[in-house]
Amino acid sequence: MDDEKVVARFLETGDRAMFGVLVERYQDRVFRLVASVLGPYSGSDAEEVCQEVFLRLYQKIRQFTGQAGFGTWLYRIAYNLAIDWRRRARFRLPHVSVEEIHGLASSSDPLEDVLIKETKDLVALAMEDLPDLYRTALYMHYWLERPVEEIAELIGIPIGTVKSQLFRARNILKDKLGRILGKTEKDGRPS
Amino acid sequence: MKREEIMNDSMDKTIRETLKEKPWPKLSADFASAVMECVERAEQKRALSRRAAVILAVYWLAVIVISGFIFTGIKWPWWFPVVFLAMTPFVFLAAAAPRGLRRLGDRFLRPII
């Protein structure tokens, strides 16, 4: 039975088992989308947000008109909710200022493993600072190792756009890190 | 991954290196049943709020009707409006109590149970 029929049956009969079918069918993909929006550094729990997404779906399912596919509609709900959670979580997490980032880059600890850790932290901070869509696509591709086709489906954009977003995200990161590391070298501190 | 490598290598490698230690998030096996439980609780909550709304509506209707009688000159015992005014906070409490109790239960009892 396709999604639209399951939704129609659920609305007709109010049978929760039908809603359960939708949850089973979409839970993994919604979870991956939510996890990549929140990212590996966020303080939020992806599963909790995912639960909230399905609860929102239950409350809003009568608003589903069938103009877009059910999946597309659900992914939109999940994306918006996860973005909200991420913004709220950002205020709960300790704020890292630009000065601190520079300080991190310019600390002159001789131990190599400390330097490597610092460098990774720098890359992580730069990734966290990317625009929402770029960051989501980046995490989905590099962290969760999902194919471009799935990213396109979950974010709701064409495959070509996903590829160009990944390309632009890499360029932004390179620029950002170049600036930070360049400034460190200009300050005359060893890297 | 050294700093100079970031500038020389492709960002592709740098990003992969940075993210490779981050564990993949996993969805628990009983996620679907947890969602269904959540949905059931939400339904109960909705029913409770509907009941609370009915209690409040009846109370306010009575307040409006009786004050209408009072202002139009019909004689009522002096204590009548006093009793109504005195009841107001309790009606609000009664309407809010199921929700508040449920929240308290969720907050303090669920982690224990």
Side-chain angles (χ1 to χ4, degrees):
Chain A
M1 209 190 313
D2 66 18
D3 298 334
E4 281 73 17
K5 278 184 187 156
V6 176
V7 173
R9 179 79 66 84
F10 169 66
L11 290 178
E12 230 172 72
T13 59
D15 180 8
R16 281 200 202 128
M18 286 290 121
F19 186 76
V21 170
L22 293 172
V23 176
E24 295 267 1
R25 205 174 275 179
Y26 281 97
Q27 60 181 13
D28 290 325
R29 272 173 288 174
V30 167
F31 181 69
R32 283 199 286 273
L33 174 62
V34 167
S36 16
V37 173
L38 298 176
Y41 306 100
S42 161
S44 301
D45 177 15
E47 189 164 319
E48 200 185 336
V49 180
C50 206
Q51 215 174 63
E52 194 69 34
V53 168
F54 283 106
L55 197 62
R56 187 70 63 90
L57 171 70
Y58 187 81
Q59 289 159 350
K60 282 189 164 186
I61 201 161
R62 280 175 201 287
Q63 292 171 22
F64 174 63
T65 53
Q67 281 173 339
F70 177 76
T72 315
W73 185 68
L74 174 60
Y75 299 145
R76 187 52 37 198
I77 293 176
Y79 181 80
N80 290 337
L81 204 78
I83 287 282
D84 281 353
W85 270 70
R86 193 188 150 80
R87 285 185 189 141
R88 265 183 278 149
R90 190 181 285 175
F91 288 106
R92 287 201 293 266
L93 292 172
H95 178 69
V96 183
S97 66
V98 178
E99 285 76 21
E100 277 176 277
I101 297 171
H102 289 150
L104 199 67
S106 58
S107 109
S108 54
D109 195 317
L111 296 167
E112 197 163 305
D113 55 342
V114 173
L115 275 177
I116 290 170
K117 198 203 163 294
E118 280 185 355
T119 312
K120 280 185 179 173
D121 287 348
L122 266 180
V123 178
L125 282 170
M127 284 194 292
E128 284 288 289
D129 212 29
L130 284 171
D132 290 337
L133 267 176
Y134 289 4
R135 192 189 54 247
T136 305
L138 196 92
Y139 282 152
M140 223 182 273
H141 187 65
Y142 287 102
W143 180 39
L144 302 181
E145 295 172 3
R146 304 315 300 169
V148 180
E149 292 75 19
E150 189 182 312
I151 301 173
E153 185 200 335
L154 293 182
I155 304 182
I157 50 176
I159 293 173
T161 314
V162 174
K163 284 180 185 167
S164 74
Q165 280 186 346
L166 287 171
F167 177 75
R168 275 187 221 150
R170 283 192 297 262
N171 278 348
I172 294 173
L173 278 181
K174 190 154 188 136
D175 277 356
K176 222 172 242 182
L177 291 169
R179 250 181 288 135
I180 294 171
L181 296 178
K183 189 181 185 304
T184 314
E185 276 165 22
K186 231 165 76 181
D187 288 347
R189 293 187 176 129
S191 60
Chain B
M1 183 176 57
K2 291 178 183 169
R3 283 183 195 180
E4 51 271 23
E5 280 174 4
I6 288 180
M7 302 311 293
N8 300 330
D9 286 349
S10 69
M11 276 317 290
D12 214 57
K13 190 183 161 198
T14 309
I15 298 167
R16 275 185 213 284
E17 284 276 320
T18 308
L19 290 173
K20 95 179 160 195
E21 288 154 15
K22 291 285 163 191
W24 280 5
K26 277 200 183 116
L27 196 61
S28 54
D30 60 344
F31 175 77
S33 55
V35 168
M36 297 315 285
E37 256 175 50
C38 232
V39 161
E40 208 176 313
R41 273 209 304 273
E43 273 293 302
Q44 285 169 358
K45 225 182 234 181
R46 203 187 286 179
L48 281 174
S49 346
R50 236 176 273 145
R51 208 166 58 194
V54 170
I55 294 174
L56 282 177
V58 168
Y59 173 77
W60 283 116
L61 194 71
V63 167
I64 290 164
V65 169
I66 288 165
S67 28
F69 283 149
I70 291 167
F71 288 118
T72 48
I74 296 172
K75 294 282 177 197
W76 290 89
W78 64 270
W79 49 264
F80 217 89
V82 176
V83 167
F84 257 95
L85 275 177
M87 267 170 65
T88 305
F90 297 105
V91 170
F92 275 101
L93 275 180
R99 199 185 300 177
L101 287 176
R102 183 170 291 276
R103 273 196 198 149
L104 278 176
D106 281 354
R107 173 88 176 77
F108 296 109
L109 294 178
R110 264 178 73 194
I112 304 166
I113 301 164

